[in-house]
Amino acid sequence: MEQIHYKQRMCTDNERIEKFLAESRVGVLGINAGEYPYAVPLNYVWKDGTVYFHGMGSGKRETFLRESPRVCFTVYQEYGVVKDKVPWHADTSYFSVMLFGAARKLTDAEESAAVMKQLVEKFMPGFYGDKLAAITNRFIEKYRSSIDGNPVAVYAIKPDSISAKENRSTPEELFKQGESL
């Protein structure tokens, strides 16, 4: 895997990368889809060095992943525009992480249920309380899509490589709406 060319922006702080991946909510899955790439934003959970996500057990994503499981998964956050007196020197403050690896469809119901439980707890912490484990296990076993009758598909991406890039700034360096020179 080719590394970041803009070395000044490279982030190698593993703790920062781990925290960012654990706390972020949405990533973009890039899949090889033939003539054009297919990139889809999705909710995910990061656990033990692996990205997990779910979706319908059929459709474009399912077909493309079956045909070509090697993917790129990108998570990013923009913090604002960095001001400069010279217009073309203005920049963006951001943090981004790119993971490269193969997406693997989980086949074990217990593993899938554990991932779904983590997803629900990440996005709705405490909402289901003690009932979550039982609800999740039944969901994995019995749920079928009303669109096509397929069960939910849960995937894992264990990255072969990870790169992170950032442009840090202070709040004072960021443009605020209505501000001018």
Side-chain angles (χ1 to χ4, degrees), residues 111-132:
E111 184 180 16
S112 294
V115 169
M116 292 302 293
K117 182 177 180 230
Q118 290 172 330
L119 279 161
V120 170
E121 195 57 36
K122 178 178 182 177
F123 289 92
M124 299 170 62
F127 183 75
Y128 293 99
D130 295 339
K131 298 176 186 118
L132 183 57

Side-chain angles (χ1 to χ4, degrees), residues 13-24:
D13 181 343
N14 287 331
E15 283 183 37
R16 182 162 156 70
I17 293 167
E18 287 282 331
K19 183 177 188 307
F20 180 74
L21 290 171
E23 292 176 356
S24 295

Side-chain angles (χ1 to χ4, degrees), residues 22-154:
E23 292 176 356
S24 295
R25 297 168 56 93
V26 178
V28 178
L29 178 67
I31 308 169
N32 179 0
E35 186 178 356
Y36 295 101
Y38 184 74
V40 59
L42 46 81
N43 297 326
Y44 75 95
V45 67
W46 173 256
K47 182 164 173 38
D48 300 326
T50 303
V51 168
Y52 294 95
F53 63 91
H54 78 293
M56 279 181 50
S58 63
K60 284 183 182 181
R61 179 175 50 197
E62 181 81 8
T63 300
F64 295 151
L65 287 174
R66 187 173 44 254
E67 292 171 359
S68 183
R70 296 184 57 76
V71 299
C72 173
F73 189 77
T74 303
V75 181
Y76 64 93
Q77 176 69 49
E78 179 198 355
Y79 302 113
V81 176
V82 181
K83 303 178 281 195
D84 196 283
K85 290 181 180 171
V86 180
W88 44 88
H89 289 173
D91 204 345
T92 304
S93 177
Y94 65 89
F95 190 76
S96 67
V97 178
M98 294 180 77
L99 304 96
F100 299 87
R104 172 182 62 88
K105 189 173 182 177
L106 302 185
T107 56
D108 180 71
E110 281 185 35
E111 184 180 16
S112 294
V115 169
M116 292 302 293
K117 182 177 180 230
Q118 290 172 330
L119 279 161
V120 170
E121 195 57 36
K122 178 178 182 177
F123 289 92
M124 299 170 62
F127 183 75
Y128 293 99
D130 295 339
K131 298 176 186 118
L132 183 57
I135 293 169
T136 306
N137 290 340
R138 281 195 312 273
F139 173 78
I140 291 297
E141 292 172 9
K142 301 194 183 300
Y143 173 81
R144 296 297 177 261
S145 169
S146 61
I147 296 171
D148 62 10
N150 283 311
V152 67
V154 181

